[in-house]
Amino acid sequence: MSYRKFNSVWKKLACTGLAIGGGAVIWTYVSPHRNKQLVAAINDSDEQKFRWAPLPTREQHFESIQKTEFDVLVIGGGATGCGVALDAVSRGLKTAMVEMYDFGSGTSSRSTKLIHGGVRYLQKAVFNLDIEQYRMVKEALAERANLIEIAPHLAYSFPIMLPVYKYWQVPYYWAGIKAYDFVAGKQRLKPSYLLSKKKALEIFPMLKKEKLVGALVYYDGQHDDARMNISLAVSTARRGGVTLNYTQVIQLHREKDANGKDVITGARIKDRLTGKEMDVKAKCVINATGPYTDSIRTMGSPETKKICQPSSGVHVVLPDYYSPKSMGLLDPATSDGRVIFFLPWQNVTLAGTTDNACDVTFQPAPTENEIQFILNEVRNYLHPDVEVRRGDVLSAWCGIRPLVSDPNKSDTQSLARNHIIEVSQDKLITIAGGKWTTYRSMAEETVDRAVKECNLQPTSGCRTKGLLLDGAHGWSPTLFIRLVQDFGLENEVAQHLARTYGDKAFKVAKMATLTGKRWPVVGRRLHEEYPYLEAEVRYAVREYACTAIDVIGRRTRLAFCNVHAAEEALPRVIEIMSEELKWNKEQQKEQMVRAKNFLKREMGLDLGRVELDMPINFTKDEINAYAKRFKSLDVDNKGYITVNDLRRYFKKIGERVTEDQLHDILNEVDLNKNAQVDLGEFLQLMNRLRLGSVTNSRFAKAAELSSGERISVERSGGGV
């Protein structure tokens, strides 16, 4: 360390026992505690230079990657890949990372948003006396605490309620949750506690109260997974690492080593935006591609046995009124034995997940059956007054879990419970499996192995434990107040910026435009219902956003929170990005098409829309007659029929119908799955009754009786 730098540190820490006089440094005794303070201060001084280090442009990264021989080349820009890259560069290793799509575009942005040790894994560890499961939970709980410490603006402790409906379950679940606290030890976030039935319903009034005994509340962590992933990539870039998205590895280079063995010495990469190809030299190549692990492992070695056994997990998003603002819910035993979480997140309610074997794809999509499964499970835990409607689903997405079998064990058919690290004969290092919570420890083990196997020379050991991520250095819980006062932002917007960007929120605020209103002074929103600003689009480009999908899906979470709002904001997003990236009209059209396909296929937009394309052959008189029946139920003349209209009708005729039956009756006609039946859908039902493709419709019967008319047996196919 230079004299000037040391002198700067000294001025802050004169009390430690160091003295400077006559240009000489005089060392005196420093207690161990004071010595730790000094080391921490020096490290903090080192960190400050990275905090505001300028981000190189994408073009500058490409220049560097062609000129430099790297110690480490990481393939994959998800949580694991970015974690490995940050670990390597923080040790002083020359590091490059390439990602085929955007950072976190795969599984890492499609998680349940929890940072957790795994309550059910601890249960298995106890009942099966499984020490491996126990160690996995303990490690995850330690990493949970660390992640909340290094990114406090993005991660936070979060209470989750476990409702109890049988008295014998109270001591059973209580013991399990207390064991979870005990294993966490000093890393425990907050102590768990028991709630009475009355108190549980006060906190979670939507909960089904019939047979409810009470509830247990425990704490795990929650975060914005995509933003956390971006923060890892940006932190790597600020420290001098090369981070490139939309860059594909198309070939691995191999050369003979001193012993005549083939070893990997780099790769040929392709910029997917320009089509340009180039070679990258590296002493070590690390494969961190999650569910796409085998595509790299078999590159140039097709005989290599595949280890990935992917599993899909679907989540749905519901409006915020489905859950309290600050309390999640865990269903520990669904109808098929799976676990369902029901969590408030980003001012919406997140429900999931499923667990089904699937094929590896770059465009995983949810299915209607999976969405209905989740809704049915949610319905089982909520009060009957809360109508869990398909039309309330704001978004739905699917992520692929990278479950792997361990190639280091003889029994390769069994899945690894934790992550695995494989070193191939040609020195390709593969890190696979694991979960978001343990990304850092996985990265540490991987880089340790890389140093050993490839004879790398780092300048230090692992430094990521406690290493603050981008935005965390100057963040405080009250930072948003300064944004309100200094820039004239709305409170909701200011809180969103502080929670998303940390101390970098001021940079975003400076880019915000005037609203033309008395209040807020600045901060034009992308969509009036959500706190995302137009300025965030411009800032996203500086953080390597290259497509409209990057912005609506990961730089903001609009597509994940509300697919319809994302579709509405899309034209403005493309307009702003066109100004930043100089897109021509043709490129803008291409971005629109790709983004809409993303929303339709991957975010569930198409699942709620059914084309009404069956030809209808009615006479004018028949259409008028059916319209009369429709209006007999639509007494408010809204133009559509809801479950409330059906409820009113059955009450009028004195027929008792349960809430589930009411929804079933509506769903048989609700082709668009928006909890409403319009005249077009009603005519489709009548047409299907005539053709015989529908032979039993209580909805049609209700319309018939309400209008006082009768549908003939020939048309109705027999009626009800």
Side-chain angles (χ1 to χ4, degrees):
M1 180 172 32
S2 67
Y3 173 81
R4 180 178 297 176
K5 182 176 179 182
F6 183 84
N7 192 38
S8 174
V9 175
W10 156 246
K11 289 179 180 178
K12 299 177 183 178
L13 294 174
C15 61
T16 60
L18 288 174
I20 299 178
V25 180
I26 301 173
W27 293 89
T28 61
Y29 172 75
V30 184
S31 69
H33 174 69
R34 294 293 189 181
N35 189 48
K36 288 181 180 180
Q37 285 186 324
L38 177 61
V39 172
I42 293 173
N43 289 338
D44 182 63
S45 180
D46 287 337
E47 288 303 309
Q48 291 305 316
K49 72 178 182 181
F50 298 120
R51 175 182 173 186
W52 298 106
L55 278 179
T57 64
R58 194 167 184 272
E59 291 72 23
Q60 289 172 329
H61 277 315
F62 271 114
E63 290 178 9
S64 297
I65 208 166
Q66 295 178 77
K67 297 177 181 178
T68 308
E69 179 176 356
F70 293 94
D71 294 311
V72 175
L73 171 63
V74 183
I75 307 173
T80 304
C82 287
V84 170
L86 180 58
D87 187 293
V89 76
S90 65
R91 297 192 195 200
L93 296 171
K94 294 180 181 178
T95 305
M97 175 186 66
V98 294
E99 161 60 43
M100 184 175 178
Y101 289 94
D102 187 26
F103 305 122
S105 59
T107 306
S108 297
S109 62
R110 306 175 191 226
S111 72
T112 310
K113 322 305 179 193
L114 288 177
I115 311 167
H116 63 115
V119 175
R120 57 177 175 159
Y121 296 130
L122 181 60
Q123 179 189 38
K124 292 178 181 178
V126 173
F127 281 108
N128 300 332
L129 299 177
D130 191 330
I131 190 65
E132 184 182 347
Q133 290 266 19
Y134 173 80
R135 288 171 178 166
M136 184 176 70
V137 173
K138 190 170 183 62
E139 176 190 51
L141 290 173
E143 292 300 321
R144 178 189 68 178
N146 180 71
L147 190 52
I148 292 174
E149 177 188 347
I150 66 175
H153 57 302
L154 292 173
Y156 44 88
S157 62
F158 181 74
I160 299 175
M161 180 182 291
L162 200 164
V164 181
Y165 287 91
K166 296 178 181 178
Y167 281 102
W168 67 265
Q169 291 178 333
V170 174
Y172 175 76
Y173 286 141
W174 183 86
I177 294 303
K178 286 301 177 183
Y180 195 59
D181 287 351
F182 176 78
V183 174
K186 293 181 179 180
Q187 280 78 38
R188 185 186 69 180
L189 302 179
K190 293 181 181 179
S192 57
Y193 55 90
L194 178 67
L195 290 174
S196 66
K197 175 180 178 179
K198 180 180 179 181
K199 193 64 178 179
L201 290 173
E202 285 180 10
I203 296 173
F204 208 123
M206 309 84 172
L207 202 61
K208 182 175 70 175
K209 63 182 179 181
E210 183 181 357
K211 297 183 179 179
L212 181 67
V213 174
L216 286 151
V217 176
Y218 73 97
Y219 286 82
D220 258 327
Q222 191 177 47
H223 70 151
D224 180 347
D225 51 3
R227 184 64 208 172
M228 188 74 77
N229 205 142
I230 299 297
S231 293
L232 288 168
V234 169
S235 297
T236 301
R238 291 197 193 279
R239 290 175 170 274
V242 171
T243 54
L244 284 168
N245 53 358
Y246 293 98
T247 305
Q248 180 181 2
V249 171
I250 57 178
Q251 183 182 351
L252 294 175
H253 293 322
R254 293 174 174 85
E255 295 179 4
K256 299 287 185 183
D257 65 4
N259 299 318
K261 294 182 179 180
D262 284 334
V263 294
I264 292 177
T265 57
R268 186 160 184 81
I269 63 173
K270 178 181 179 180
D271 181 355
R272 297 183 62 245
L273 300 183
T274 65
K276 185 178 179 181
E277 296 183 9
M278 61 202 75
D279 293 319
V280 184
K281 293 182 178 181
K283 298 174 184 176
C284 176
V285 176
I286 297 176
N287 173 20
T289 51
Y292 316 105
T293 291
D294 288 328
S295 65
I296 301 298
R297 292 178 67 250
T298 58
M299 189 175 286
S301 302
E303 71 281 357
T304 302
K305 290 184 179 181
K306 296 183 178 180
I307 61 173
C308 187
Q309 299 183 32
S311 171
S312 68
V314 171
H315 295 80
V316 301
V317 171
L318 298 164
D320 59 351
Y321 54 74
Y322 271 85
S323 65
K325 189 175 181 180
S326 58
M327 180 68 73
L329 181 73
L330 167 64
D331 177 357
T334 61
S335 58
D336 65 350
R338 289 183 279 198
V339 172
I340 289 286
F341 285 99
F342 193 61
L343 310 166
W345 177 77
Q346 300 274 323
N347 296 321
V348 292
T349 300
L350 178 66
T353 179
T354 59
D355 186 4
N356 298 308
C358 67
D359 296 325
V360 175
T361 172
F362 289 109
Q363 296 177 320
T367 66
E368 185 61 33
N369 286 339
E370 290 170 313
I371 292 174
Q372 291 295 342
F373 166 79
I374 293 173
L375 294 181
N376 287 334
E377 294 302 327
V378 169
R379 197 173 285 124
N380 290 337
Y381 266 85
L382 297 187
H383 193 280
D385 287 346
V386 181
E387 298 176 15
V388 182
R389 307 181 301 184
R390 175 59 177 85
D392 283 343
V393 174
L394 301 176
S395 182
W397 72 83
C398 174
I400 301 179
R401 297 183 186 89
L403 304 179
V404 291
S405 56
D406 192 341
N408 302 315
K409 294 183 178 180
S410 56
D411 180 15
T412 57
Q413 295 302 312
S414 60
L415 294 179
R417 294 167 178 169
N418 207 345
H419 60 273
I420 61 101
I421 297 176
E422 176 198 33
V423 181
S424 64
Q425 292 183 349
D426 54 10
K427 298 296 184 181
L428 174 67
I429 297 178
T430 295
I431 169 68
K435 57 183 180 180
W436 235 120
T437 308
T438 56
Y439 85 89
R440 193 212 63 82
S441 59
M442 291 165 59
E444 179 180 354
E445 288 182 39
T446 304
V447 178
D448 284 346
R449 190 70 177 273
V451 169
K452 177 182 177 181
E453 297 289 342
C454 301
N455 298 316
L456 304 180
Q457 302 296 320
T459 58
S460 70
C462 179
R463 299 182 60 192
T464 54
K465 189 79 171 180
L467 184 70
L468 298 181
L469 298 186
D470 191 61
H473 300 81
W475 179 84
S476 73
T478 58
L479 185 144
F480 75 95
I481 297 176
R482 287 179 55 196
L483 293 171
V484 174
Q485 294 175 338
D486 294 354
F487 295 94
L489 291 165
E490 293 174 87
N491 184 26
E492 180 188 14
V493 170
Q495 291 197 47
H496 154 68
L497 293 181
R499 287 196 307 264
T500 303
Y501 303 98
D503 59 19
K504 301 300 188 297
F506 294 99
K507 285 191 172 185
V508 182
K510 289 177 181 177
M511 300 172 73
T513 54
L514 295 171
T515 62
K517 303 176 182 178
R518 184 186 64 81
W519 189 264
V521 179
V522 300
R524 290 185 180 178
R525 298 192 182 203
L526 279 173
H527 193 282
E528 60 182 7
E529 296 176 19
Y530 295 88
Y532 305 115
L533 298 184
E534 291 183 357
E536 291 182 74
V537 181
R538 301 188 190 279
Y539 189 75
V541 173
R542 288 153 178 77
E543 287 189 332
Y544 312 120
C546 300
T547 71
I549 297 173
D550 298 344
V551 171
I552 62 175
R554 290 170 289 277
R555 301 313 193 280
T556 71
R557 306 314 306 272
L558 197 52
F560 283 78
C561 291
N562 190 327
V563 68
H564 305 287
E567 186 180 33
E568 292 167 6
L570 195 52
R572 182 57 181 152
V573 169
I574 292 175
E575 182 182 355
I576 296 171
M577 293 190 77
S578 298
E579 296 172 4
E580 294 289 326
L581 297 172
K582 311 303 179 187
W583 288 340
N584 57 36
K585 293 294 183 183
E586 195 62 34
Q587 289 172 310
Q588 292 177 43
K589 289 180 181 179
E590 182 182 0
Q591 288 293 320
M592 181 66 76
V593 170
R594 289 185 177 181
K596 286 195 172 183
N597 286 338
F598 165 75
L599 295 175
K600 290 176 181 179
R601 176 177 172 79
E602 299 182 49
M603 292 290 111
L605 183 62
D606 256 1
L607 291 178
R609 298 177 178 177
V610 179
E611 296 297 328
L612 308 179
D613 53 2
M614 181 175 285
I616 297 176
N617 297 311
F618 289 145
T619 65
K620 183 178 180 180
D621 290 341
E622 286 175 325
I623 291 177
N624 287 335
Y626 289 134
K628 181 179 178 181
R629 291 175 187 168
F630 178 83
K631 290 180 180 179
S632 68
L633 288 177
D634 179 23
V635 294
D636 298 326
N637 200 28
K638 304 181 297 298
Y640 55 85
I641 297 168
T642 67
V643 72
N644 290 327
D645 297 313
L646 291 177
R647 187 184 292 111
R648 180 167 45 226
Y649 163 73
F650 284 111
K651 183 178 181 180
K652 178 181 177 181
I653 65 173
E655 183 174 346
R656 182 176 177 80
V657 180
T658 68
E659 288 297 319
D660 286 344
Q661 289 173 328
L662 280 174
H663 284 283
D664 289 341
I665 294 169
L666 187 73
N667 285 336
E668 72 180 17
V669 198
D670 182 17
L671 301 178
N672 281 325
K673 302 299 179 186
N674 60 356
Q676 300 173 357
V677 175
D678 58 30
L679 181 58
E681 291 171 310
F682 183 73
L683 291 176
Q684 282 284 343
L685 174 65
M686 296 299 107
N687 189 47
R688 284 168 168 74
L689 285 168
R690 166 186 275 186
L691 296 175
S693 59
V694 174
T695 59
N696 190 354
S697 172
R698 294 192 68 183
F699 190 97
K701 187 71 173 177
E704 171 193 335
L705 296 176
S706 180
S707 65
E709 297 181 0
R710 180 161 183 79
I711 303 175
S712 66
V713 172
E714 300 86 59
R715 289 190 182 175
S716 68
V720 179

